Amino acid sequence: NSEDVRCKCICPPYKDHSGNIYNKNVSQKDCDCLHVVEPMPVPGPDVEAYCLRCECKYEERSSVTIKVNHVILL
């Protein structure tokens, strides 16, 4: 299921840009700042420095398991 996987990038403040969290459904190999952060908040020369500060993690979950647990709890 496409909504059961995502890449989450947490980017701290950089120069005059505030920090932000970005989520996108991409494959595990594309889970990096360049593929997830859109629109890029910094101009071209600063992209590499900005992306080095971001922490990106690939996350998987089972929405079926979550739904079953909710039904059991109710």
Side-chain angles (χ1 to χ4, degrees):
N1 200 352
S2 64
E3 60 237 12
D4 285 348
V5 297
R6 72 175 178 178
C7 182
K8 180 178 182 181
C9 291
I10 301 172
C11 300
Y14 178 76
K15 293 188 177 180
D16 58 343
H17 300 283
S18 62
N20 208 342
I21 297 174
Y22 301 90
N23 293 301
K24 191 172 183 183
N25 291 335
V26 295
S27 66
Q28 190 169 7
K29 69 178 183 75
D30 290 335
C31 184
D32 59 32
C33 173
L34 294 174
H35 290 98
V36 176
V37 177
E38 290 178 357
M40 188 61 69
V42 296
D46 288 334
V47 168
E48 185 176 355
Y50 180 79
C51 281
L52 286 174
R53 299 169 53 88
C54 295
E55 182 180 339
C56 297
K57 292 183 180 177
Y58 184 76
E59 299 175 344
E60 292 182 70
R61 66 179 183 180
S62 173
S63 58
V64 173
T65 302
I66 293 169
K67 289 175 186 175
V68 168
N69 284 336
H70 284 159
V71 169
I72 291 171
L73 289 172
L74 293 175

